[in-house]
Amino acid sequence: MAEKPSVARDLASVLGSFQKKDGYLENNEYVVTWAIGHLVELAEPQDYDTQLKKWTMDTLPIIPTRFQLKANPKTAKQFKIVKQLVNRSDIEQLICATDAGREGELIFRYIYRLAGCQKPFMRLWLSETTPAAVKKGFTELRPGTEFNRLAAAAEARSRADWLIGINATRSFTVRHNTLLSIGRVQTPTLALIVNREREIKNFVPESYWELYAEFTKSNGQLYVGKWFKGEQNRFQDQQAARAVQARVDGQPANVLEVEEKDIAELPPLLFNLNDLQKEANKKYGLAAAKTLAAAQSLYETRKLLTYPRTDSRHITTELAKTIPERLSALAGAAEYMHYTDTAKAAGPPGKRYVDNGKVSDHTALIPTNVKPILDNYSPDERKIYDLVARRFLAIFFPPARYKQTKVVTEAAGEKFLTTGRVELDKGWKTVYAPVENNHGDDENDGIIPDLTRGEAVRTTKTEIKEKETRPPKRYTEASLLAVMEGANRLIEDRELKAAMKEHGLGTPATRAAIIERLIQVGYIVRQKKTLVPTAKGEILIDLVPEIIKNPELTGRWEKTLADIEAGTADPEEFMTGIKKLTGEIVELARTQTASNQFQTSREALGKCPFCGKAVIEGKKGYGCSGYKEGCKFVIWKEIAGKKITAKQAQGLLQKGKTGIIKGFKSKAGKSFEAILVLGQNGKVEFEFNKKRSNQHI
């Protein structure tokens, strides 16, 4: 059982001679089928009790005594096929071939359970989908029971998200009369973005001054130093800077200290998914979700990359044996052939990159042994493959080397610091440099003239520069992913810093989806590369209790899930804590004063044609804000099977008509296109071929 039809076809092509059937493939020995994502999901509240379909505070918290599963209505046909297959009398055992990770394991286990199957099953664990890897995987099938702890962690995560998501969303939505999506990971992630925005808004810039001095050697060579005293290198008071300037200007000076040392910069570690998403966002502005989609396609369809949803930056000793064939594949592409000879001659990489102890479920992301033909791929696929290929090639190159110089000069008792760095050898950075520039001259930036300790120089010029303190920067997806992973250097709070060092928010596989979800529900927006909270997102963070928006707490939950997977934590104990928390969240919502901030924060789309009041977005339509006074004007969000966007509704209100909208469906099920217009009576009507229909919507 594969996760997707494309993977099922790959497996079948390796196993050989299959006939295509409805929803599966079959030969004399195997039946290969697929899940099409989540065929089975946790039952909804109304599946337990029809009365729970209505959202009321009286029915909360909803905590099932026993969680039930149900088939996803969208893929019910495929589930029926799979259920019949797994229970077929001639099927002796199953092979779980879903994605090799927590979510893939959950997909299989839920299907297995709902299908009522009790047959033994094996696990096919693949880190790449090349034919050679698939053949090897089938010779190394492992008993499914070996992955019970992984399944337990997956199920605990699934149930925890259900309990908190459903109860928190319902309780706060009912209390504040606005649809508020709340999640175990998405809400603390939103809190990070909101808190950063508030730091920026509340930031008051302060002026400070820096003093620079130009020193001249006896042979006329110049260099510049910056004033410092102990740890301090700026003045809070301009007059103090001027006083020092007056004291040193034109005065003789001498070199107190000259320190030169060679610095070696090692090649970076191999990519895990989080690092790849950060790099793609920094370099290309790619959203984390787009990076994951491209990497998944390169893994699944193109067979060019290893499994992308990995948290490891290392490879195993076993995989290291396959490096020569991977380099040979890269040598077949013009973009990389200049570097593969050096890589091959370098021999196997050392412990920095090859470490069995630092590989959990999957190794770092590296190229496979399939030759890339980059012209055949999408722009995003090319970018992502190139990032992974160059990072892989770089590990075979020597460190980049620099000469770093530090000079301290004294004039009239005041000290000035000069630093410079000169590149001695590009080393691994050659892989990132354009081929034609590889033999160019070293850059001259930061070169300091030859100086000796005690040498006499003269202060020939001074300058005071006024500067301002700057607010912290808004999160980009790259910097947010760093915090979510546990990059504690970006966090100010000491306790949170320590907690996030060990674990983060979400997993490599889910972080991109969390960011997209926050955008989808209207809590944040993308502004170029940065992520900015909306008024709705800020209000939500003010309303929800600390217990649900605290990244530290959520990070600890993630750590517990990892411990369940490792067998050092009890899933039942974890769920007891989650159930207790669920009750506390509902109680907090119940006792809150209902907020009208959401209503006042919603932006008006235009004026109501009936009463002139503002039209605002609601749950099912764009309606008049005077509805409490009895105004019934509304533009429904779905008209004749077509979703109407806020922008289209705004155009309709402001211009009286929209542009041509495609995708409406007639009662007979036929597609048609039309213009929406506001009739003289304020009703929304169709207009076809410039002739207005008499039929109101």
Side-chain angles (χ1 to χ4, degrees):
M1 190 188 303
E3 202 163 310
K4 300 180 183 75
S6 60
V7 178
R9 287 193 294 271
D10 291 338
L11 300 179
S13 68
V14 171
L15 297 171
S17 303
F18 277 79
Q19 284 190 318
K20 190 177 178 184
K21 308 276 186 173
D22 185 14
Y24 64 100
L25 304 160
E26 185 170 1
N27 71 4
N28 293 333
E29 191 178 354
Y30 292 101
V31 169
V32 180
T33 189
W34 49 86
I36 320 180
H38 296 251
L39 290 185
V40 174
E41 55 193 26
L42 287 172
E44 295 291 324
Q46 56 268 29
D47 296 319
Y48 294 90
D49 183 344
T50 53
Q51 291 185 354
L52 293 177
K53 187 166 187 178
K54 190 177 180 185
W55 292 25
T56 65
M57 201 64 89
D58 296 341
T59 58
L60 299 175
I62 302 166
I63 302 177
T65 49
R66 185 173 163 273
F67 278 90
Q68 294 175 18
L69 299 173
K70 71 168 188 176
N72 183 335
K74 293 177 184 172
T75 51
K77 183 190 171 191
Q78 183 62 15
F79 173 71
K80 190 178 177 184
I81 290 167
V82 173
K83 183 179 179 180
Q84 288 171 345
L85 290 172
V86 300
N87 290 307
R88 227 168 71 176
S89 59
D90 60 335
I91 301 288
E92 293 174 1
Q93 71 169 14
L94 311 184
I95 297 174
C96 170
T98 49
D99 279 1
R102 192 191 283 175
E103 294 312 302
E105 193 69 25
L106 187 70
I107 286 169
F108 174 81
R109 299 291 181 121
Y110 275 178
I111 293 169
Y112 183 83
R113 194 177 307 160
L114 191 62
C117 186
Q118 294 183 326
K119 293 175 183 177
F121 64 91
M122 303 294 281
R123 190 48 157 116
L124 175 68
W125 194 263
L126 296 176
S127 283
E128 49 192 340
T129 56
T130 60
V134 171
K135 281 176 189 170
K136 192 167 187 284
F138 271 97
T139 65
E140 297 174 351
L141 292 173
R142 293 155 69 184
T145 50
E146 278 188 25
F147 297 87
N148 284 350
R149 292 200 308 247
L150 177 67
E155 200 158 332
R157 195 278 309 152
S158 173
R159 291 175 174 184
D161 285 349
W162 190 97
L163 284 172
I164 289 173
I166 281 174
N167 285 286
T169 296
R170 286 192 174 205
S171 58
F172 281 89
T173 295
V174 170
R175 193 77 196 100
H176 302 291
N177 197 29
T178 298
L179 181 60
L180 299 174
S181 173
I182 295 171
R184 184 181 62 87
V185 180
Q186 78 176 45
T187 305
T189 304
L190 173 63
L192 288 170
I193 299 167
V194 168
N195 292 340
R196 175 58 58 89
E197 190 68 17
R198 287 175 176 174
E199 281 180 57
I200 295 165
K201 283 178 182 172
N202 297 332
F203 183 83
V204 179
E206 293 178 2
S207 292
Y208 65 92
W209 292 265
E210 293 175 342
L211 174 60
Y212 293 86
E214 178 188 86
F215 301 105
T216 305
K217 282 167 59 80
S218 58
N219 65 2
Q221 287 183 303
L222 309 172
Y223 68 97
V224 175
K226 180 181 175 182
W227 176 88
F228 75 99
K229 189 174 187 179
E231 297 295 312
Q232 185 186 345
N233 64 1
R234 61 177 65 173
F235 297 91
Q236 303 306 319
D237 174 54
Q238 189 178 14
Q239 293 308 316
R242 283 180 175 166
V244 174
Q245 182 184 34
R247 200 156 54 245
V248 302
D249 204 10
Q251 294 301 307
N254 74 296
V255 177
L256 275 187
E257 191 182 317
V258 177
E259 185 183 293
E260 284 189 347
K261 57 181 175 182
D262 281 2
I263 303 292
E265 188 183 338
L266 293 169
L269 293 173
L270 294 164
F271 277 126
N272 62 15
L273 176 60
N274 217 68
D275 290 346
L276 178 64
Q277 288 171 319
K278 287 189 290 185
E279 189 71 13
N281 184 251
K282 284 179 195 168
K283 191 165 183 179
Y284 301 116
L286 278 182
K290 282 196 168 187
T291 297
L292 176 55
Q296 192 73 20
S297 173
L298 289 164
Y299 160 71
E300 235 169 59
T301 310
R302 310 291 189 191
K303 315 284 183 277
L304 288 171
L305 293 184
T306 55
Y307 186 68
R309 296 166 190 258
T310 176
D311 60 358
S312 178
R313 298 178 175 93
H314 297 79
I315 60 174
T316 60
T317 48
E318 193 62 30
L319 188 139
K321 294 174 186 174
T322 67
I323 282 173
E325 59 206 64
R326 295 169 196 268
L327 290 174
S328 294
L330 286 170
E335 290 87 343
Y336 312 118
M337 62 190 298
H338 303 277
Y339 313 114
T340 51
D341 285 345
T342 304
K344 286 175 183 176
K351 184 87 172 171
R352 178 173 164 81
Y353 306 101
V354 184
D355 190 338
N356 290 358
K358 291 183 178 175
V359 176
S360 50
D361 293 338
H362 294 281
T363 66
L365 245 168
I366 63 170
T368 65
N369 61 359
V370 175
K371 178 186 167 184
I373 307 168
L374 297 183
D375 288 345
N376 293 356
Y377 315 139
S378 73
D380 285 357
E381 287 174 337
R382 290 184 65 164
K383 288 170 185 168
I384 297 307
Y385 184 79
D386 188 67
L387 286 176
V388 175
R390 290 183 193 275
R391 179 68 69 99
F392 175 64
L393 287 165
I395 73 172
F396 301 99
F397 280 70
R401 287 179 48 248
Y402 301 89
K403 183 175 83 170
Q404 189 167 290
T405 309
K406 174 187 164 188
V407 176
V408 177
T409 309
E410 185 180 47
E414 302 291 342
K415 292 177 181 175
F416 293 82
L417 177 66
T418 306
T419 57
R421 190 166 95 151
V422 178
E423 186 176 80
L424 301 174
D425 183 359
K426 282 193 187 301
W428 62 269
K429 293 189 177 182
T430 305
V431 174
Y432 292 89
V435 174
E436 59 270 24
N437 291 340
N438 281 350
H439 307 292
D441 295 331
D442 286 338
E443 293 178 13
N444 293 319
D445 293 344
I447 289 184
I448 300 168
D450 283 335
L451 294 163
T452 54
R453 190 174 178 180
E455 183 176 348
V457 294
R458 177 163 286 280
T459 315
T460 46
K461 191 177 172 185
T462 57
E463 183 185 5
I464 293 172
K465 292 182 180 178
E466 184 177 356
K467 296 187 177 180
E468 271 191 347
T469 53
R470 293 182 180 181
K473 291 181 178 177
R474 281 175 170 161
Y475 284 117
T476 61
E477 287 198 40
S479 59
L480 182 63
L481 285 166
V483 175
M484 291 176 78
E485 186 187 30
N488 61 327
R489 67 185 180 280
L490 296 174
I491 300 173
E492 300 299 326
D493 183 276
R494 282 186 182 179
E495 287 183 22
L496 181 55
K497 204 178 184 77
M500 296 293 277
K501 191 173 182 179
E502 298 302 321
H503 38 268
L505 295 171
T507 64
T510 60
R511 288 176 191 133
I514 289 159
I515 294 170
E516 292 303 318
R517 175 70 181 159
L518 289 172
I519 292 168
Q520 182 191 338
V521 295
Y523 292 154
I524 65 172
V525 291
R526 280 193 186 95
Q527 286 185 6
K528 295 183 178 176
K529 280 190 178 183
T530 62
L531 300 170
V532 184
T534 61
K536 185 179 181 182
E538 292 203 44
I539 296 165
L540 177 74
I541 290 304
D542 287 335
L543 288 175
V544 295
E546 183 66 24
I547 202 164
I548 200 170
K549 65 186 175 189
N550 188 333
E552 180 183 353
L553 180 70
T554 310
R556 284 179 182 161
W557 290 342
E558 290 295 340
K559 174 70 164 59
T560 306
L561 289 169
D563 289 344
I564 292 169
E565 203 170 306
T568 57
D570 179 8
E572 290 304 319
E573 203 174 298
F574 172 75
M575 289 309 300
T576 300
I578 292 288
K579 287 172 185 176
K580 181 173 176 285
L581 176 67
T582 300
E584 289 171 8
I585 290 167
V586 170
E587 201 50 43
L588 283 162
R590 201 191 306 278
T591 55
Q592 267 188 348
T593 304
S595 172
N596 66 351
Q597 285 179 282
F598 290 106
Q599 280 68 36
T600 56
S601 75
R602 282 183 284 184
E603 192 180 336
L605 298 172
K607 288 185 179 179
C608 172
F610 286 169
C611 68
K613 288 192 174 176
V615 173
I616 56 174
E617 184 174 352
K619 193 174 175 182
K620 292 186 177 178
Y622 309 99
C624 179
S625 56
Y627 67 94
K628 286 184 179 175
E629 288 85 51
C631 184
K632 298 242 167 68
F633 175 76
V634 66
I635 303 166
W636 297 112
K637 281 190 173 178
E638 189 172 303
I639 297 173
K642 172 71 179 175
K643 286 185 178 168
I644 306 303
T645 66
K647 197 171 181 182
Q648 288 166 334
Q650 190 174 35
L652 181 57
L653 289 164
Q654 292 174 0
K655 299 174 186 174
K657 60 165 40 179
T658 66
I660 294 173
I661 299 174
K662 296 180 178 179
F664 292 113
K665 286 267 171 72
S666 69
K667 288 178 182 177
K670 290 185 178 179
S671 292
F672 67 92
E673 59 182 48
I675 296 167
L676 295 180
V677 296
L678 273 180
Q680 291 189 353
N681 56 2
K683 296 283 185 184
V684 181
E685 303 172 345
F686 286 127
E687 183 180 283
F688 304 98
N689 299 324
K690 306 287 184 186
K691 291 179 182 177
R692 195 170 293 177
S693 164
N694 293 325
Q695 185 182 357
H696 296 156
I697 296 166

